[in-house]
Amino acid sequence: MTKSSRATITDVARAAGVSLSTVSRVMNGNASVDAAMAERVRLVAAELGYSANPLARSLVLGRTQTIAVVIPDLANPTFQAILRGLSRAAADDGYHVLIADSAEQVETERALAETTRRRTDGVILCAPRLPAGELAELLPTLAPVVVVNRPPQESAPTVAADYRTAMAELVAHLYGLGHRRLVFLSGVVGSASGAARRAALAEARTAHPDLEILELPSGVDFDSGAAAADAVRATGATAVLAFNDLVAMGLLSAVAARGVRVPEDLSVVGFDDIPFARYTAPPLTTAAVPAAELGRRAWDAMSALLAGDPAPASSVLTPEVVVRASTAAPPAS
Amino acid sequence: MTKSSRATITDVARAAGVSLSTVSRVMNGNASVDAAMAERVRLVAAELGYSANPLARSLVLGRTQTIAVVIPDLANPTFQAILRGLSRAAADDGYHVLIADSAEQVETERALAETTRRRTDGVILCAPRLPAGELAELLPTLAPVVVVNRPPQESAPTVAADYRTAMAELVAHLYGLGHRRLVFLSGVVGSASGAARRAALAEARTAHPDLEILELPSGVDFDSGAAAADAVRATGATAVLAFNDLVAMGLLSAVAARGVRVPEDLSVVGFDDIPFARYTAPPLTTAAVPAAELGRRAWDAMSALLAGDPAPASSVLTPEVVVRASTAAPPAS
DNA sequence: CTGTTAGCGCCTTCAT
DNA sequence: ATGAAGGCGCTAACAG
């Protein structure tokens, strides 16, 4: 009737004929222990397959060696890439990551962040649509916390891509090609990066009085891109700025089905440069958001916070425009 | 000098003038407590913003309300979908998910599974390349554990897609179109689903003596598909079975650059039906692996295990072939 | 129905 | 250098 549950520190102590504290000390390399005794303890521990219960350690140490990441949509390639970069960077430093997919439910984001926070040492928050006010008041309750893709915050370091500049460059690319009438497929309302994109558009309009930029609401996925095809054509625009690559792909596909040629009849640009953007027909011109790098940096910032270092500065990366085959000069009218 | 750390059960008990147990009881709805007293406790708890420390609960209860999932590659759309289905299903049942991306390092998979297991209540293991023997000996140390996309196991329920049957149907589709000489881009060695695919091929060869199926090694991503283009053409095959959609996409792209038309000159089928498969040029014929559903079922199995129900039967889903535009009759020779 | 007591497994002063 | 004892925050017998 041997009890086959896992060995505890008590078992090891007893088997080695020492006290709990001694075992604890040798396992953690704290203080100094007689060499022979230490060796014996290590041996016994190995024999018993002992290693400290992480839960118990977490409770007493007050840290879990785990961070939480809240993501609005695990189906979105950009968030997937952020998660990947983050997860690998954290793993390299011996940290685990708890994921919380809010499935686009903005209302639950706060609760999600707060509950996961309690089981972890900090949270990385990707909440593009959480209203700025709510975000600001949520942040202090979450510390340590780092925010992804939002403007700099008072009470948390921020890691973000510069959507505004990238959008400006996309517009410049199109303008340089000769386009004067564009449509922006604007994604869902209330997203932070959407606001940044829109700001770039406003600036472009004042900089180029001869440039017209229309705005059409859309979603953020394939279907909404496809659904926008007719509306896009109806505007008479010669180029379209899709909210992201997914929307661009949906549009590309729907528009092809209607016999319009890209880029001869219509230029299309995406946003994000997801891995698939180079495999569309035609390959998509887009702005490359370094999502995995964003994730890595988010971890770096969190890591600094956890180490008690001075709060890291907000870091921002500027996406580069990658010109592929979905853009060209407008058709001669 | 108010201590602003979080309220503990002791604080609530003191503030409400009752004992710890009473607070615990009302918070958990256990036993029965005098209505008025319960109400007072609830009020105080709310005022203090109290809710039980999950770490402490985990320690005493012996459960963490969290499961671990080990994934070989967070960059692979199929695993992303499994993770998503899993994560949402678990969340619906109030469970959290700890992710462990082994980044294709088979050697670390075991350690990863074992460490994450200790901080969680169970693990969902996706380890397509872990040798069968190692898997079998690892499983008992992990219980409760559910295995994804591997043959049925002795000591763990299994959730899998039937890669063999799907592959057979893909071959049948091509054979029916008139193809008699195929190439299989076989992915990395040692993967369980790869073995299943290969088994289907062997059967097809004996069933159709006039059918020739060559095999070309490849990786599992875009680049390896692209890299195989010349070798594929050199075989003179009229159709290719790519290991997965990623490989197919890379191939499609490389082959287009060489001026070969798909499907007129060459038919191409993928595997998995990732979301992008319908947006390739041409849209990809492939076998639709219901990855998110796989994730959901993995959770269902885990949930049963956690509840102490009899071990759930292994469940298998058969992917459906979805015919799009990348396949057609072979060119008239 | 309520309060007291004993742990869950571990780390860490505090003595020795 | 080592051991004893207290406590992390909570739940679950056990009395009353």
Side-chain angles (χ1 to χ4, degrees):
Chain A
M1 218 38 160
T2 37
K3 199 148 184 299
S4 83
S5 57
R6 212 165 220 294
T8 73
I9 195 172
T10 309
D11 300 330
V12 177
R14 187 159 31 211
V18 300
S19 76
L20 299 190
S21 342
T22 300
V23 178
S24 174
R25 288 182 186 114
V26 345
M27 298 307 289
N28 297 304
N30 290 342
S32 43
V33 181
D34 176 80
M37 182 174 258
E39 195 43 47
R40 184 154 39 96
V41 168
R42 252 184 292 272
L43 197 74
V44 172
E47 270 170 6
L48 268 45
Y50 171 77
S51 85
N53 180 328
L55 262 52
R57 298 195 87 223
S58 294
L59 183 59
V60 60
L61 258 15
R63 57 187 158 72
T64 59
Q65 215 74 319
T66 303
I67 59 155
V69 38
V70 356
I71 290 282
D73 182 12
L74 263 181
N76 185 313
T78 298
F79 297 124
Q80 290 164 353
I82 291 175
L83 175 61
R84 177 161 32 93
L86 181 57
S87 152
R88 293 189 179 168
D92 287 344
D93 288 353
Y95 271 74
H96 301 251
V97 3
L98 194 66
I99 67 169
D101 177 4
S102 67
E104 292 282 10
Q105 305 299 305
V106 179
E107 320 78 50
T108 70
E109 261 164 1
R110 168 167 206 147
L112 219 48
E114 286 176 328
T115 21
T116 55
R117 172 63 181 87
R118 297 207 64 191
R119 342 187 130 253
T120 58
D121 299 340
V123 6
I124 311 267
L125 190 60
C126 301
R129 298 175 61 192
L130 190 66
E134 286 184 42
L135 178 64
E137 97 191 8
L138 174 58
L139 256 23
T141 75
L142 254 31
V145 53
V146 0
V147 177
V148 177
N149 274 347
R150 303 280 310 220
Q153 301 289 319
E154 188 148 353
S155 39
T158 266
V159 168
D162 184 351
Y163 285 79
R164 196 185 55 66
T165 298
M167 189 54 141
E169 288 174 4
L170 246 16
V171 172
H173 167 63
L174 258 15
Y175 187 84
L177 249 21
H179 295 275
R180 292 298 177 269
R181 187 181 178 85
L182 320 178
V183 206
F184 172 47
L185 260 27
S186 65
V188 294
V189 297
S191 115
S193 70
R197 289 172 175 86
R198 212 171 268 115
L201 264 25
E203 289 169 15
R205 275 186 278 243
T206 66
H208 302 293
D210 60 335
L211 177 62
E212 193 178 1
I213 310 180
L214 282 45
E215 195 172 318
L216 241 38
S218 76
V220 297
D221 55 12
F222 293 127
D223 294 342
S224 55
D230 290 325
V232 163
R233 292 305 279 164
T235 64
T238 59
V240 13
L241 297 143
F243 184 78
N244 62 22
D245 293 343
L246 261 24
V247 172
M249 288 172 72
L251 178 68
L252 241 33
S253 160
V255 113
R258 285 161 177 70
V260 357
R261 296 163 307 158
V262 173
E264 295 81 356
D265 302 329
L266 181 71
S267 283
V268 174
V269 308
F271 212 113
D272 286 348
D273 193 26
I274 62 176
F276 301 91
R278 37 185 315 196
Y279 294 99
T280 54
L284 196 61
T285 293
T286 189
V289 174
E293 174 66 17
L294 235 39
R296 261 189 297 276
R297 294 208 182 188
W299 168 250
D300 289 343
M302 177 55 73
S303 181
L305 252 27
L306 291 173
D309 296 351
S314 294
S315 92
V316 10
L317 301 174
T318 301
E320 281 197 21
V321 169
V322 8
V323 176
R324 290 199 270 249
S326 67
T327 48
S333 56
Chain B
M1 218 36 159
T2 38
K3 200 145 183 295
S4 82
S5 57
R6 212 166 221 294
T8 73
I9 194 174
T10 309
D11 300 330
V12 178
R14 188 159 31 212
V18 300
S19 76
L20 300 190
S21 347
T22 299
V23 177
S24 174
R25 289 196 263 258
V26 346
M27 297 308 286
N28 297 304
N30 290 341
S32 42
V33 180
D34 176 81
M37 183 173 255
E39 196 42 49
R40 183 154 40 97
V41 169
R42 251 184 292 272
L43 196 73
V44 172
E47 269 170 6
L48 268 44
Y50 171 77
S51 85
N53 179 329
L55 264 52
R57 299 195 86 222
S58 294
L59 184 58
V60 60
L61 258 14
R63 55 185 160 74
T64 59
Q65 216 71 323
T66 302
I67 59 156
V69 39
V70 356
I71 289 281
D73 182 13
L74 263 180
N76 185 313
T78 298
F79 297 123
Q80 290 164 353
I82 292 176
L83 175 60
R84 177 162 32 93
L86 181 57
S87 152
R88 293 189 180 167
D92 287 344
D93 288 353
Y95 271 75
H96 301 251
V97 173
L98 195 66
I99 67 169
D101 176 5
S102 68
E104 293 281 11
Q105 305 299 303
V106 179
E107 321 78 50
T108 70
E109 260 164 2
R110 167 166 206 147
L112 218 49
E114 286 176 329
T115 23
T116 54
R117 172 62 181 86
R118 298 206 63 191
R119 338 186 135 256
T120 59
D121 298 341
V123 7
I124 311 270
L125 189 60
C126 301
R129 299 175 61 192
L130 190 66
E134 288 184 41
L135 178 64
E137 97 191 7
L138 174 58
L139 256 22
T141 75
L142 255 30
V145 53
V146 0
V147 177
V148 176
N149 273 347
R150 302 280 310 219
Q153 301 288 318
E154 188 148 354
S155 38
T158 266
V159 168
D162 184 350
Y163 286 79
R164 196 185 56 65
T165 299
M167 189 53 142
E169 288 174 4
L170 246 15
V171 172
H173 167 65
L174 259 15
Y175 188 85
L177 250 20
H179 295 274
R180 291 299 177 268
R181 187 180 178 85
L182 320 179
V183 207
F184 172 47
L185 261 26
S186 65
V188 294
V189 297
S191 114
S193 70
R197 289 172 174 85
R198 212 171 268 115
L201 264 25
E203 289 169 14
R205 276 186 278 244
T206 66
H208 303 292
D210 60 336
L211 177 62
E212 193 178 2
I213 309 179
L214 283 46
E215 194 171 319
L216 241 37
S218 77
V220 296
D221 54 10
F222 293 127
D223 294 343
S224 56
D230 290 325
V232 163
R233 291 306 276 167
T235 64
T238 59
V240 12
L241 297 144
F243 184 79
N244 62 23
D245 292 343
L246 261 25
V247 172
M249 288 172 73
L251 178 68
L252 242 31
S253 160
V255 112
R258 285 161 178 71
V260 356
R261 296 163 306 159
V262 173
E264 294 82 358
D265 302 329
L266 182 71
S267 282
V268 174
V269 307
F271 211 112
D272 286 348
D273 194 25
I274 62 177
F276 301 91
R278 38 184 314 197
Y279 294 99
T280 55
L284 197 61
T285 293
T286 190
V289 174
E293 174 66 16
L294 236 38
R296 260 187 299 276
R297 293 208 183 189
W299 167 249
D300 289 342
M302 177 55 74
S303 180
L305 252 26
L306 257 19
D309 295 351
S314 294
S315 92
V316 10
L317 301 174
T318 301
E320 282 196 22
V321 170
V322 7
V323 176
R324 290 198 270 249
S326 66
T327 49
S333 56

